[in-house]
Amino acid sequence: MDVLEAIGRIRRGEALPGDLESILSATDGDAEAAFSEARRARDAEFGRRAFLYGFVYFSTHCRNDCAFCYFRRSSGLPRYRKSADEVLSLSASLKDAGVNLVDLTMGEDPVMCADGHREAIGLVRRVKEEVGTAVMASPGAMSEQSFADLAEAGADWFACYQETYDRGLFSRLRLGQSFDHRMDQRAWARKAGMLAEDGIMVGIGESVEGRAESLRMMGGQGCEQIRAMTFIPQEGTPMAGSAPPGFGAELLAIAAMRIMFPDRLIPASLDVEGIAGLRARLDAGANVVTSIVPPRMDLAGVAQHELDIENGNRSVRHVAEMLDEMGMRAATDAEYGAALSRLRSRRGRL
Ligand code: SAM
Ligand code: MD0
Ligand code: SF4
């Protein structure tokens, strides 16, 4: 199948069976064509600007046992939980450094989840009130009643990734967790007035057809931000022996998302390949740089819990330099605010 023709059909909303799969399995010149179309779609929609997200993984305690995760309950790791003061000062320093948003992320820490997620929601409220930046909350799965409280505390975004839309695969990854309850999360978040992010993992045991189906399903839910991240095998987990991934499939997934859903925010995560992978992800059509983590703060990443943190490569300064080299630049807070207003006004029509 001709990839350029497939791209054209997808862009016109006339996709044929197999069109998405042909992008996801493109090689060489065909892959380059997909990346170039994706960049064109991104630049037309957003200009040559990237939004920058700071990442504060404030508690690595977790009651869940996801097969892929370094921080799963049964890995006997030392863990940390930052105090409210630490979270506030980390968020403030990220804002000062120039991020557009702070992503407050936690494992499903029983202390933070207790009493309708009272502690976690309290942190969001304090960061909104005392730091005044845009905030994404990534607390894992919550009960429906907590969403109104989280929205009222000021969270702009709620992130919770389905990982895959294949129920069988989901049950082998998120052991003992409900597929439907996780699906409900983003619907409840949006009903409460927040923007929502969904995501899938790439190279986690899915076929190209399975990945295509997950991308179609994920996009069809209309979440304002959507992502694909390559699975990184983690020592001490049941999936430690998996083959180390290539990143080509993730890049094609990013390009495909941009071509199918041009007006969404799509991350280039530093948590997969570190700074070395930034350019390729932006070149594939991403327009948000996530997982910016300041050095010397004893903070962890998720998929790459150490890579590029202490050497400062995940800092705003370093990212801004790379954007500059690519003829791109970091968006201002006013530009980010305008993009969020646009997403909110299109709610239900993405
Ligand atoms: N604990 C919350 C949850 O699971 O929803 C929020 C943070 S969780 C650590 C964020 C995401 O990181 C997961 O949903 C998964 O997509 C991704 N992730 C975790 N471990 C990963 C790995 N080894 N490789 C790639 N992505 C991973
Ligand atoms: C990232 N490490 O953006 C973060 C994390 C959670 N909302 C985000 C997966 O890559
Ligand atoms: Fe816990 Fe999230 Fe890791 Fe699953 S992915 S074990 S919920 S931190």
Side-chain angles (χ1 to χ4, degrees), residues 55 103 105 136 138 159 161 197 227 229 269-271 290-291 301-303:
F55 182 57
D103 178 2
T105 295
M136 171 179 276
S138 308
Y161 312 143
E197 183 184 21
R227 72 162 64 200
M229 278 171 66
S269 174
L270 297 173
D271 211 19
T290 67
S291 225
V302 177

Side-chain angles (χ1 to χ4, degrees), residues 63-224:
R63 63 187 174 195
N64 283 337
D65 218 18
C66 301
F68 53 83
C69 181
Y70 184 69
F71 296 99
R72 69 201 299 264
R73 180 185 68 220
S74 47
S75 68
L77 289 171
R79 296 169 193 267
Y80 64 77
R81 180 185 301 118
K82 299 289 183 194
S83 69
D85 285 344
E86 286 172 310
V87 173
L88 285 164
S89 83
L90 286 163
S91 303
S93 68
L94 280 163
K95 180 178 179 357
D96 291 345
V99 304
N100 301 116
L101 171 145
V102 172
D103 178 2
L104 297 176
T105 295
M106 62 184 222
E108 293 196 7
D109 176 350
V111 169
M112 290 290 154
C113 298
D115 203 7
H117 281 75
R118 200 171 50 83
E119 288 280 330
I121 293 171
L123 279 176
V124 169
R125 185 187 307 283
R126 287 195 63 188
V127 172
K128 282 304 287 186
E129 286 177 1
E130 297 173 38
V131 181
T133 174
V135 168
M136 171 179 276
S138 308
M142 310 199 295
S143 62
E144 185 172 7
Q145 300 82 279
S146 295
F147 284 87
D149 297 341
L150 182 59
E152 188 271 328
D156 300 276
W157 290 90
F158 175 83
C160 183
Y161 312 143
Q162 200 65 26
E163 325 291 7
T164 173
Y165 278 75
D166 174 335
R167 286 172 180 267
L169 181 54
F170 180 97
S171 69
R172 296 192 293 280
L173 298 177
R174 287 196 159 268
L175 308 178
Q177 298 170 50
S178 155
F179 182 93
D180 292 313
H181 183 60
R182 209 161 166 89
M183 286 290 290
D184 284 340
Q185 298 298 306
R186 294 169 299 274
W188 288 336
R190 299 172 83 207
K191 205 166 117 201
M194 290 176 278
L195 301 163
E197 183 184 21
D198 194 1
I200 63 161
M201 272 193 273
V202 172
I204 190 92
E206 81 288 5
S207 60
V208 169
E209 292 71 26
R211 193 178 310 139
E213 184 59 12
S214 285
L215 290 175
R216 276 190 289 264
M217 294 287 293
M218 172 166 73
Q221 315 284 314
C223 285
E224 292 80 9

Side-chain angles (χ1 to χ4, degrees), residues 34-36 38-39 42 50 202 227-232 245-258 266-291 303-304 307 322-323 326 328:
F35 298 144
S36 153
R39 281 196 295 281
R42 182 215 38 219
V202 172
R227 72 162 64 200
M229 278 171 66
T230 307
F231 162 57
I232 309 289
F247 301 108
E250 174 187 333
L251 299 178
L252 290 165
I254 290 174
M257 287 189 287
R258 176 61 68 204
I266 301 176
S269 174
L270 297 173
D271 211 19
V272 178
E273 255 194 289
I275 197 79
L278 180 58
R279 177 186 283 263
R281 285 165 178 74
L282 292 170
D283 274 345
N287 69 329
V288 185
V289 181
T290 67
S291 225
Q304 292 286 2
L307 178 68
M322 298 231 8
L323 288 172
M326 296 181 65
M328 294 182 73

